[in-house]
Amino acid sequence: MVGTGEGGAAAADAVLLGFVRAVRAAGVEASTERAYAFLRAVDVLRPGVRADVYWAGRATLCGGHDDLERYERVFAAYFGPSGESARPVVRHAPPPRLRLVTRDAPAGSRAPGEGEPAGPPTATLASATEVLRHRDVGELDAAERAHLHRLLAAFALSGQTRRSARRRPARRGDVDPRRTVRELLRRGGEPARLRRHARVDRPRRVVLLVDVSGSMAPYADALLRFAHAAVRGGRTEVFTIGTRLTRVTRELSHRDPDLAMAALAAAVPDWRGGTRLGELLREFLNRWGQRGMARGAVVVLLSDGWERDDPELLGAQMRRLHGLAHRVIWANPRKARPGYAPLAAGMAAALPSVDDFVEGHSLAALERLAAVVRGAEAEGVSVARVRGAERA
């Protein structure tokens, strides 16, 4: 529980800002201005009442109809589904969730004849979710993992936008000669308004290479569920790497996360095996990357960088990848450990060809990874820029 006073208000704001970050990671364009408006709306309403928090967020954070489904999904995962108290009690411990508890204001603060307090009631927010966001995935118990899975199901992953060669009608932009001439002909040669068009912005393809070797066993399940949410968003390809390279995009296309993970488990033969990063990266580039999958894409490697084979091979293939991709990102769950240094031979060989080297050990780290993938570093994303030059 968070106490009252300034400390309690600061803790409550931290919980609500964590919810904003989760909404943003799900693909809702919740800008800093929208987040500030959300905090003000909750403060004006009743911070401890679930319905008021819900409607305040829906009115301020959602910018269109497409955002509503994502917002509903994140709200249910973050604050817990509504009506849980009416469900039958189960024998196992329920998953942790954020609880909103309202304390009644003193009797003297109520107006005569009114049952509600004159001002917003004092609220305390006990956030198991906010604590869970920063916990190492490898250290969670079964109940916490179940809660993490619900939060990961609300993720969305899209690459940086690029200017497409296709054009569409627009109010501003270059003159569209064909549509303008057709309009003139339709009017019998009479002067007509100039028709214009503009290029379409499309998200870049995202390619995820997920390490499923033995050293990555504590993190593989969470990372693959993160990949499942990315595939559901479209324009994402996923491969597992260990002793073999396996394309699992089709298996992860199931809408239900548990069905997707079951199909993936049947398709991947090298769970918890060794690591052949260099050889498998070369296979990926020869079969898929060089032919177009990696060209102009955002390629993300989720691995601890432990290489069993020659690290020089990994370094050479990373240079090839770097020349093809728009951006190369490496997410390492071990990076968050105190005193970590990229001393593993494979990691040291790969780093010169990596644009962004980020953490991947927790839900908050995966949220930052999603922001880096879509190029949103300006919004407080802390990453180690290994190579600062941007490529078109």
Side-chain angles (χ1 to χ4, degrees):
M1 291 284 183
V2 178
T4 58
E6 294 183 0
D13 287 346
V15 172
L16 295 175
L17 287 174
F19 171 62
V20 173
R21 286 191 292 268
V23 169
R24 191 177 296 156
V28 178
E29 295 296 331
S31 63
T32 303
E33 291 77 11
R34 288 181 180 274
Y36 179 66
F38 170 56
L39 294 180
R40 289 187 60 188
V42 172
D43 186 59
V44 170
L45 297 172
R46 295 168 295 179
V49 177
R50 175 193 175 88
D52 285 9
V53 175
Y54 169 83
W55 288 109
R58 177 167 169 149
T60 56
L61 300 178
C62 298
H65 181 75
D66 294 340
D67 293 338
L68 296 181
E69 181 182 354
R70 299 188 183 102
Y71 178 81
E72 297 275 357
R73 190 166 61 244
V74 176
F75 190 90
Y78 198 88
F79 292 101
S82 60
E84 283 197 353
S85 59
R87 295 182 180 180
V89 179
V90 292
R91 292 185 178 180
H92 57 81
R97 65 179 186 276
L98 184 146
R99 293 175 294 163
L100 300 177
V101 182
T102 305
R103 294 180 181 175
D104 294 332
S109 64
R110 300 189 179 186
E114 293 185 357
E116 293 293 331
T122 304
T124 60
L125 302 178
S127 174
T129 300
E130 185 63 16
V131 173
L132 181 65
R133 287 182 63 253
H134 301 279
R135 290 277 306 278
D136 191 302
V137 171
E139 300 175 356
L140 302 181
D141 58 30
E144 291 169 332
R145 284 183 179 276
H147 191 195
L148 176 69
H149 294 168
R150 292 199 302 274
L151 291 169
L152 287 173
F155 261 74
L157 191 68
S158 59
Q160 293 176 264
T161 57
R162 62 177 180 84
R163 189 64 59 88
S164 171
R166 293 181 177 272
R167 296 176 182 267
R168 64 181 177 184
R171 293 186 176 181
R172 297 180 180 179
D174 299 332
V175 174
D176 186 342
R178 294 183 178 180
R179 293 179 60 239
T180 301
V181 170
R182 286 198 297 268
E183 183 68 13
L184 284 171
L185 293 175
R186 190 177 68 84
R187 292 174 174 265
E190 294 292 330
R193 187 180 63 182
L194 293 177
R195 300 297 178 178
R196 299 181 181 275
H197 58 187
R199 292 187 182 273
V200 179
D201 289 335
R202 297 182 181 276
R204 293 182 181 273
R205 178 187 291 111
V206 179
V207 180
L208 302 179
L209 303 175
V210 185
D211 190 344
V212 295
S213 62
S215 61
M216 286 288 293
Y219 304 97
D221 181 72
L223 296 179
L224 288 170
R225 288 179 180 270
F226 173 77
H228 168 260
V231 169
R232 190 181 59 234
R235 290 191 63 79
T236 300
E237 293 284 346
V238 182
F239 295 80
T240 60
I241 51 178
T243 58
R244 297 186 183 183
L245 178 71
T246 308
R247 187 180 184 181
V248 294
T249 308
R250 185 177 63 180
E251 285 75 14
L252 291 177
S253 63
H254 288 284
R255 186 175 183 85
D256 184 86
D258 294 326
L259 290 178
M261 294 302 294
L264 185 144
V268 177
D270 55 337
W271 284 98
R272 302 191 178 188
T275 312
R276 299 166 55 227
L277 294 177
E279 180 64 32
L280 297 183
L281 186 56
R282 178 168 63 182
E283 181 181 347
F284 164 74
L285 291 172
N286 290 342
R287 294 183 60 185
W288 288 286
Q290 195 79 38
R291 297 182 180 182
M293 185 177 290
R295 292 184 183 274
V298 179
V299 181
V300 184
L301 294 98
L302 300 106
S303 172
D304 54 11
W306 289 8
E307 172 63 293
R308 188 178 69 179
D309 293 336
D310 184 7
E312 292 298 327
L313 175 61
L314 176 59
Q317 300 310 310
M318 286 295 296
R319 289 190 290 271
R320 283 183 64 194
L321 176 63
H322 194 262
L324 291 172
H326 170 73
R327 200 170 185 182
V328 178
I329 303 171
W330 194 300
N332 189 334
R334 313 285 178 183
K335 184 177 184 293
R337 296 185 176 182
Y340 171 83
L343 301 179
M347 196 71 258
L351 274 181
S353 300
V354 173
D355 292 308
D356 296 279
F357 185 40
V358 301
E359 301 170 356
H361 68 296
S362 67
L363 181 64
L366 294 178
E367 290 174 357
R368 290 193 293 270
L369 171 60
V372 172
V373 169
R374 64 175 179 266
E377 293 179 84
E379 297 184 9
V381 178
S382 176
V383 298
R385 292 292 296 178
V386 179
R387 183 178 181 275
E390 292 290 340
R391 300 186 306 284

